[in-house]
Amino acid sequence: MFIVITKMSEKTKGGLPVHVGIIMDGNGRWAARQGRPRTDGHLEGLKTARKIVEASVRLGIRYLTLYVFSTENWKRAESEVQFIMNLVKRYLVDELNHYRKDRLRVRHAGDLSGLPAEISAEVRKACEDTRAFDGMQVILALNYGGRNEIIRAVNRILDGKALNGESVIVNESAIANNLDNPDVPDPDLIIRTAGEFRTSNFLLWEGAYSEYYISSELWPDWTESHLRAALDFFACRERRFGGAE
Ligand code: IPE
Ligand code: IPE
Ligand code: MG
């Protein structure tokens, strides 16, 4: 029998996922169904994010990655992008006290340098202020794209080696060690709401062996019971990681 040594969670079947990623999709459709502007959907989606963070803590999840804004979402109308950025800023400021109370650690995945300075400053502050907390880790994927993350990882490897005058070897562990949060285990479960069966550039490297759960519900309609259903689905999955048993 082979023993596969990976960064993945040790659990192969049953139990609770250690790391859950959520592609929070459907805000615009939620708003459109009610004849309201897309921005109302984002506002409602933020409330859902708060509820799901709290529920995840209660359920004992250790890492929760929320896909907040992709590297492709800049293609949207400027007014929508601006609205989302303002929401993110407000979320970071408003939630920080609550995060302190529950000792939640905020982290970021994505390209900080591509964000407006006032947003990247708030993200840095939230990460810094909560760095020592040992509760659940909430990883905000903001200006995040899986391809972009891999490219930045490769460039970090090349820069580091060039500085040290070493020859460059790009292998699996070199890339894994240069991702945005190398110490975070790969996601066991990736949830996507609003019924789309695609990754949309989310955790491409880390999600190689994640279980996928697609929920037809729109993100603003999501509740703790939907999360529980996703966890029940995960508990029944047999994970093989390429093995044959
Ligand atoms: C997800 O909801 C939020 C972001 C991508 C920022 P959408 O805004 O994509 O909602 P739909 O897919 O248009 O319904
Ligand atoms: C993915 O949703 C990005 C986030 C949820 C932040 P999108 O709505 O941007 O994805 P596509 O365009 O439907 O693939
Ligand atoms: Mg969408």
Side-chain angles (χ1 to χ4, degrees), residues 25-204:
D25 198 15
N27 293 351
R29 274 163 279 178
W30 182 91
R33 276 183 197 174
Q34 310 193 28
R36 289 160 65 181
R38 292 179 59 81
T39 46
D40 281 10
H42 296 312
L43 210 50
E44 211 55 35
L46 175 67
K47 290 186 200 160
T48 302
R50 287 197 171 112
K51 278 190 303 200
I52 296 300
V53 168
E54 282 169 19
S56 302
V57 172
R58 270 197 300 279
L59 292 166
I61 291 163
R62 294 298 305 153
Y63 302 87
L64 179 69
T65 298
L66 299 175
Y67 203 4
V68 178
F69 192 87
S70 77
T71 45
E72 287 71 42
N73 286 147
W74 299 103
K75 293 174 189 165
R76 297 185 179 201
E78 203 184 321
S79 56
E80 182 176 347
V81 170
Q82 189 63 48
F83 188 89
I84 294 170
M85 290 299 150
N86 286 338
L87 268 191
V88 167
K89 193 170 158 201
R90 212 171 79 196
Y91 175 84
L92 287 167
V93 174
D94 291 355
E95 289 305 281
L96 212 52
N97 281 335
H98 161 227
Y99 278 23
R100 281 198 194 98
K101 182 171 68 66
D102 282 347
R103 299 188 61 77
L104 304 191
R105 179 171 175 192
V106 185
R107 301 182 75 168
H108 173 255
D111 190 355
L112 262 188
S113 71
L115 284 166
E118 50 170 355
I119 307 293
S120 55
E122 285 304 338
V123 172
R124 279 202 183 88
K125 183 176 180 325
C127 295
E128 206 45 58
D129 286 4
T130 62
R131 182 178 292 276
F133 291 166
D134 56 4
M136 185 176 78
Q137 301 199 10
V138 182
I139 300 143
L140 301 175
L142 176 63
N143 195 25
Y144 177 86
R147 289 180 175 181
N148 173 273
E149 185 186 25
I150 294 166
I151 292 166
R152 287 184 294 103
V154 171
N155 280 317
R156 274 184 205 128
I157 298 167
L158 298 178
D159 288 351
K161 301 281 184 187
L163 271 181
N164 298 332
E166 294 169 33
S167 62
V168 176
I169 300 169
V170 179
N171 56 23
E172 186 166 330
S173 62
I175 293 185
N177 290 334
N178 283 281
L179 294 173
D180 291 339
N181 296 294
D183 59 303
V184 172
D186 288 340
D188 305 286
L189 172 66
I190 293 180
I191 296 167
R192 180 159 189 157
T193 63
E196 309 291 354
F197 285 71
R198 55 177 172 256
T199 69
S200 299
N201 211 0
F202 186 56
L203 302 180
L204 296 185

